[in-house]
Amino acid sequence: MLNRPVGSLCGMTTTDHELAIAATGLRKSYGDKTVLDGIDIQVPAGTIFSLLGPNGAGKTTAVGILSTLIRADAGQARIAGHDVIAGAQAVRAAIGVTGQFSAVDGLITGEENMLLMADLQHLSRQEGRRVTAELLERFDLVEAAKKPASTYSGGMKRRLDIAMTLVGDPRIIFLDEPTTGLDPRSRHTMWQIIRELVSAGTTVFLTTQYLDEADQLADRIAVLNGGKLVAQGSAAELKRLVPGGHVRLRFAEPVAYERAATALRETVRDDEALTLQIPSDGSQRELRAILDWLDAAGIEADELSVHTPDLDDVFFALTGSSVPAQTTDKETVR
Ligand SMILES: Nc1ncnc2c1ncn2[C@@H]1O[C@H](COP(=O)(O)OP(=O)(O)OP(=O)(O)O)[C@@H](O)[C@H]1O
Ligand SMILES: [Mg+2]
C-alpha cells in the first residue's frame, strides 16, 4: 500500500482535479494561541493520508476546518474540488466525518441511529433500510442492532460511529482517531475496513496516535507539531530522516556488563538496565561481527536485540519529546 502510484489509472501524474483534499496556508488561532501556523495538505483521490501529532497539536482542528465545521483564520481548502467556505454544502455532500468523540445517541438502538443518519442524508425509506442492513452486517452489529446503543461496548460504539459515517456513501472520509480505545483485534478489523474503502476508491484522511497504524495504512503521513507540518512523506521516507538503528545487548551480570562496556567503544551505556547500544544498520554482516567479537572476548550477553528506526523514532525526533525508556525492538535473539 505504501508508495502506491497516484493518478495511475491513465498513467498521468496527479493534477489538481485528482486531489480529493487540497489546502494551502491554513491558519487558526484561539486567543493568542496559534494552533495551525500555515499548513499545506494535498491528498490525491483514492489514497490514505495520515496526520500525526502529539495531544493538542491541532489534528482535530485541521479535520474541523477541512470538513467545514470550523472556519480557518486564513488559507484556502478545496475538498472534492469545492471550496470549504463558498462551497460548504457541496463539500458536506461529498464527505463523511467520524469525530474523535462518539456521535452515537445512546438512548436509541444502533439500527435507529443508522436510520436517523439515512434520513439526514435524504435517502428514501427503502434505501435507508437497505443501506442500514448492509452496514450493520459489514460492521458485525446485526445481533446488537435492536439494543440501545448505551449498552454497547466502546469498540461496538466506534464501529457504529464509522458505519453511520458511511451511510451516504461519501467519497472522502475523515476519521479522527478511529481506533483509540479499541482492542488489537478490533483495530485490525477497522484497518481492514479502511483498506476496503480505499480499494473501492474512497479517500481517507486519518488522524491517529498510533504510529503503527499510520505505518500500516497511510500512503502519506504528515507530522504536525508547533503549528507546522514538520515532515511529510511515505512511512519509508520518514524513517530515513532519523538515525537510530542499533544492536542492544542486555546483561544480567554487572561484571559481564562492565567488561563489555569497557571493551566496546562507541556504545551508549545504560548502567541501570545493564544494557549497551551499539550503532548498527542491523545487517547480517554487522550482527556477525558483533557476535564474533563477543565470542572472542568470552562475553555472553543475556539478550541481543536489533532495533531499526521506526515511526516512533521519527515522531519523537520531530516532535521534540524524549525517547521513552522502553524501546520497540523488532527482533530479539536470545
Ligand atoms: N474551541 C476552542 N477554543 C479554544 N481553544 C481550543 C478550541 N479548540 C481547540 N483548542 C485548542 O487548540 C489546540 C489544538 O486542539 P486540537 O483538539 O485540534 O488538538 P489535537 O491534535 O486533536 O489533540 P488530541 O490528540 O488531544 O486530540 C489545543 O491546545 C486546544 O486546547
Ligand atoms: Mg483531537
Side-chain angles (χ1 to χ4, degrees):
M1 174 131 324
L2 291 171
N3 296 324
R4 196 155 35 133
V6 290
S8 55
L9 279 181
C10 24
M12 290 162 37
T13 50
T14 310
T15 66
D16 272 0
H17 329 292
E18 291 169 280
L19 289 175
I21 300 172
T24 46
L26 292 184
R27 285 178 191 282
K28 181 75 188 172
S29 302
Y30 289 109
D32 57 5
K33 183 175 171 55
T34 303
V35 178
L36 300 178
D37 192 10
I39 64 166
D40 300 340
I41 293 176
Q42 298 197 326
V43 184
T47 66
I48 307 186
F49 177 88
S50 178
L51 188 61
L52 289 178
N55 288 137
K59 302 180 296 296
T60 298
T61 304
V63 168
I65 291 171
L66 297 174
S67 59
T68 78
L69 300 173
I70 297 174
R71 200 170 173 141
D73 300 335
Q76 283 197 326
R78 295 180 81 76
I79 309 296
H82 306 287
D83 183 86
V84 285
I85 295 165
Q89 286 303 334
V91 171
R92 284 182 200 147
I95 65 172
V97 184
T98 304
Q100 185 169 3
F101 303 103
S102 179
V104 169
D105 182 342
L107 295 176
I108 57 176
T109 69
E111 186 176 47
E112 286 162 348
N113 268 287
M114 296 287 292
L115 292 170
L116 188 65
M117 209 60 190
D119 264 359
L120 290 173
Q121 296 284 344
H122 307 297
L123 299 190
S124 71
R125 237 182 132 66
Q126 195 187 3
E127 181 66 358
R129 294 218 159 265
R130 190 189 65 74
V131 171
T132 294
E134 187 191 303
L135 286 167
L136 287 172
E137 171 84 41
R138 184 152 147 213
F139 283 80
D140 199 14
L141 289 167
V142 174
E143 240 171 74
K146 308 268 188 223
K147 296 180 185 147
S150 58
T151 65
Y152 289 16
S153 73
M156 288 161 77
K157 262 190 209 137
R158 207 66 189 134
R159 291 209 299 276
L160 179 59
D161 241 340
I162 296 186
M164 285 161 65
T165 304
L166 298 184
V167 165
D169 199 15
R171 277 180 290 157
I172 302 170
I173 57 173
F174 292 88
L175 301 172
D176 197 358
E177 300 197 24
T179 65
T180 298
L182 297 190
D183 69 24
R185 183 187 296 272
S186 306
R187 285 180 70 209
H188 281 264
T189 308
M190 197 62 82
W191 291 356
Q192 197 47 42
I193 289 167
I194 293 172
R195 288 195 184 105
E196 284 166 17
L197 285 171
V198 173
S199 52
T202 310
T203 307
V204 175
F205 185 105
L206 169 94
T207 77
T208 181
Q209 295 289 340
Y210 299 115
L211 302 163
D212 62 328
E213 182 159 293
D215 206 348
Q216 283 278 334
L217 293 177
D219 297 286
R220 280 185 78 74
I221 299 168
V223 183
L224 183 60
N225 192 44
K228 304 258 190 209
L229 291 182
V230 289
Q232 277 202 67
S234 65
E237 284 164 353
L238 292 184
K239 286 177 197 171
R240 262 181 247 131
L241 293 177
V242 293
H246 61 259
V247 168
R248 193 169 58 154
L249 302 175
R250 191 177 61 75
F251 296 86
E253 285 298 316
V255 177
Y257 168 73
E258 273 308 330
R259 272 183 61 207
T262 317
L264 274 171
R265 272 168 292 150
E266 281 186 54
T267 56
V268 178
R269 300 172 59 128
D270 182 337
D271 292 345
E272 251 174 53
L274 300 185
T275 60
L276 296 173
Q277 282 184 13
I278 308 162
S280 162
D281 61 6
S283 67
Q284 189 179 337
R285 193 174 47 77
E286 288 204 355
L287 273 180
R288 185 174 295 122
I290 293 170
L291 290 172
D292 285 348
W293 178 87
L294 286 170
D295 280 348
I299 295 172
E300 191 161 336
D302 290 85
E303 187 179 299
L304 178 149
S305 51
V306 180
H307 180 101
T308 47
D310 62 13
L311 278 185
D312 283 326
D313 298 307
V314 177
F315 189 78
F316 291 118
L318 293 173
T319 61
S321 325
S322 57
V323 179
Q326 127 214 28
T327 55
T328 46
D329 294 310
K330 302 300 169 330
E331 197 182 312
T332 299
V333 189
R334 278 172 207 266

